[in-house]
Amino acid sequence: MIITLPSVLSDGMVIGKKANIWGWASPNQSIRAEFLNKTYETSCDLSGRFELTLLAEEFGGPHVLKIEDITLTDVFVGRVWLCGGQSNMETPLSRSRFSLGAFIKDDKRIRVFQAEKGMNFERPQKNVAGKWQTAEGEFLDNMYGVPYFFARSLLEQNGDIAIGLVCVPAGGTPLESWLPEEIIRGYPEIYERLTPLKMPGFIDSTTSAHEKNSQLWQNALNSSDLGLEQSWFSQDYDDSDWDTRVLLDPTGSPSYGSLWLRRTFELEKTGGDVFLNFGRVENSVKVFINGTEILHVTYSYPPCFCKIPNELLNDGKNTIALRIVGEDVRPQLIPGKEYALYHSEGVIDFTQGEWKWKTGAETEKFLGSLFFYNRPCGVYNFMLAPLLGYSVDGLLWYQGESNTDRPHGYKALFAEFAEHMRENFGKNLPIIFTQIANYVDPYSYDSVGGFSSPGAYVAVLREQQRQCLQIPNTAMAVTIDCGEYNDIHPVDKKSVGDRLALHARRMVYGEKIVSDGPIFNNVRYLSDSQKIVIEFKNGVGLWAKNGHPTLMILYKDGLVRSVFAAIRGETLEAPIGATAPRAVRFCWADCPTVPIYNAYGLPASPFEEVIKEMG
């Protein structure tokens, strides 16, 4: 008998006390399984698929599961969480290692199944590649940060129970990428983005044309790029005819093309580790130390960080050189990030002092990268559909950044998503999602309308997420203070994981704890005293960080005013005058500067609410 199991059913897996398993054999074939001294029997349906539900009375392991002639070992009964979303859920621990390394440790109690990334626009797949691994050794740096810190936080309170993390995130994916075609058909404006992808040869021909255009652009860049013709990055290169400036000064840089920077620095070699933290660039960069390439970041979002091999460094004078390439934006370094070299004797701050610089090539703008992950249904079919039905305790979701350009329909889509997840993972499935963090897009300029008004898109998306709390058995981790104003991928994944874990402890583990920050409850306009009063739940110990809370007051005539609010116990109060307001907004910006917290150190969500007039 030939039996096939999905990849998620394999050695080292974590299953719940009531665990659904499945596989494939011949139609009508009898299937027998043994687990924890119990025998289970079933038969395949006409398609050859079988399903069984295993029962365990206690958490623990390792155990052995036998399914006919297949033996799975090192199986644990524990808590299992499905972790999905886009790049902030996918960000690996390696990016947090420098700042959060003290909190990152091997932990064999955490077992992870990270699904292979991919797309299928034709139909849902039956299986997705992946394997169970423990949060140890070389794998740890590649493990996703938010799930790791979530699990570590749970283990602080429930240390004897293994945690299984079934991870299915993919960067750059809007919510519609995670929905099946039968749901997307109900949204014509979204469905039309899927239709051409189902045409034979469309993806191949589009990819081929893009690769051709990309090669032409690269050829135009390289044909006049001094860095490809001379050893400009070496220590003895004569850069006396180059211009001089500080590192972050963009003056004279080409609009698109390549930019070179060089400087020398003094270092006393002691044999200790040396690290380079070189912020973030638009769009790509190569970094050389004494003529040897030590770092190549190929697109805008990853941090430029690496350990420098000690043998590449000289005792005394050294040279660092950069080649930055901008395809659709100016080749530049992002201000506000750290650009420094760390060694045993201290830190060299490269934003101080002079650099030599020169334009290598100025080109036309390269219009657009080819990216299909943001199209409807693709990652759902490839990554998520094969895992539907695996028994989990709840869903962790961190996604939304890729819906900020069209935020108003997010709540409706998320309600569809939640219902579909519960049809496949259980009708009472706890869903804990992350409200997107504070961040300002430095390239939000619209050539027609100018800069978008503060929060015009991002704040609306956060409000849509807040309204998703109307869906039963959901919770939201507010992260308005966990971001970095100049980086859509902040390194602080620990705070996010910790806040998600608080909700899990209350919703699933049954702990009587406060897991929410101040939750908006009511707003009133008191006409006799000409002020508004905002009331919160969980507002005990209300306090503001970085100054006075600011409210945005909207009036019926279109006037908008910003006013300072005072904290009065568990409320905010603000005098606004005799004219009755229409609505109030709090933290209504891409990157609000004054969040408010309760006594538990948890922040309030941004919000927009209609105001009721009271006498």
Side-chain angles (χ1 to χ4, degrees), residues 214-251:
S214 178
Q215 189 59 58
L216 290 173
W217 189 89
Q218 289 290 337
N219 290 342
L221 174 74
N222 294 341
S223 64
S224 57
D225 193 327
L226 178 66
L228 298 181
E229 299 176 0
Q230 302 183 39
S231 57
W232 63 274
F233 45 79
S234 68
Q235 190 170 16
D236 56 358
Y237 176 75
D238 182 8
D239 57 15
S240 58
D241 63 338
W242 289 29
D243 293 320
T244 302
R245 72 184 193 195
V246 296
L247 181 65
L248 298 178
D249 181 358
T251 304

Side-chain angles (χ1 to χ4, degrees), residues 325-336:
V325 174
E327 299 177 352
D328 56 355
V329 297
R330 184 189 300 272
Q332 62 187 327
L333 300 160
I334 300 300

